[in-house]
Amino acid sequence: MKSYNVAILGATGAVGKTMLKVLEERNFPIEELRLLASERSAGKEIEFKGTKYKVEPVSPEAFEGIDIALFSAGSSRSKIWAPIAVEKGAVVIDNSSAFRMEPEVPLVVPEVNPEDVQIHKGIIANPNCSTIQMVVALYPIHKEKKIKRIIVSTYQAVSGAGAKAMEDLTEETKAKFEGKYYIPEALPASIAFNVIPRIDVFLENGYTKEEMKMFNETRKIMHAPDIKVSATCVRVPVFIGHSESITIETEYPITPEEARQILSSAPGVIVEDDPENNVYPMPIEVEGKDDVFVGRIRKDLAFDNGLSMWVVADNLRKGAATNAVQIAELLIKYAMV
Ligand code: NAP
Ligand code: 3JM
């Protein structure tokens, strides 16, 4: 089997480290591995498959000879380095929001629109974590019953805001118990014993950028330009695992039993829905898993053709690293690298 030269930009971050884990677990065919980050982390050692690799500062030369570059170092870094990596001959799979809505950049969730990978011109975008888990759960229903409207509230883990935000939750929680003050550095407000109804920046329409990512990305991935999405994105004091309360309105009637049946055979979805026995998905239980978990499926009482559900996934895995590695696997499958 052919193997590939792979670079990871942002290898020391919460997503980058998870990418390494996922590449190792899935035995991705790697010939040469380059771990890239900023000057701050240059020289740090990271282990992959029992071998220690030195982190290098990102540079144009670092992309020389690279086949696949996985990017997770933020959107401003993606804007600088993705064109350079492409120029050097790499295919970039970018985890940031930098290119997601550009028409020539495919935005791919392998369970939903794998074939879109084929139109790439060097960059493929990995969607936002909250969007990924939502479309994995909703697309199978959309295909059969046509979703018209989605109302979603998210309960997002701090790991979605990076490694520093995880440290903030630990340190602020400890400080609270010790009667001390700690001001989070990577979050816009107190996170210990609190919830923050703001993720990313506020926009003119009153929604945040994260909420508008869910609106725009859902339409692009599902090829459903008319779907209406109203999202409220909330940061909660959970380390790993985003949860979502979702209500949909469909064109054609759907019963909870039908939805359970559709989702039971949907790729990447696990139905955990037995409320009488206290079975419903929770973030603490999905950590380390690659599937999207759905429970609390019920007829919605506010819409005639309405359905409500609770959707949980590991944001660092399916919401970021696993989805990106699956995209890399699609490139191999379609013989595009
Ligand atoms: P993180 O834990 O803060 O890690 C950031 C990474 O970027 C680190 O490896 C850091 O390296 C590197 N970096 C920062 N500034 C750099 C620079 N100037 N040049 C080169 N490397 C630099 O953040 P994270 O949670 O892993 O997320 C990283 C990015 O991935 C986010 O900003 C976002 O765009 C994307 N993301 C996407 C999703 C998704 O939904 N698909 C989810 C989470 C994150 P140092 O160690 O040298 O600082
Ligand atoms: C998730 O540097 C940045 O602006 C990154 C902010 C960020 C993003 C983003 O917009 O790329 C942090 C966490 C995301 C994302 O997936 O959209």
Side-chain angles (χ1 to χ4, degrees), residues 74-77 95-97 100 128-129 160 200 213:
S75 56
S76 57
R77 270 74 67 181
N95 255 283
S96 82
S97 56
R100 286 181 191 146
N128 173 260
C129 40
D200 214 331
K213 288 173 196 169

Side-chain angles (χ1 to χ4, degrees), residues 9-16 36-42 44 58 71-75 77-78 81 95-97 100 126-130 132 159-164 315-316 319-320:
L9 175 60
T12 54
V15 175
L36 311 174
S38 78
E39 292 283 357
R40 288 182 295 273
S41 295
K44 263 191 199 165
V58 61
F71 274 37
S72 68
S75 56
R77 270 74 67 181
S78 290
W81 293 105
N95 255 283
S96 82
S97 56
R100 286 181 191 146
N126 199 65
N128 173 260
C129 40
S130 298
I132 292 176
S159 52
K164 181 69 203 154
N315 55 298
L316 293 178

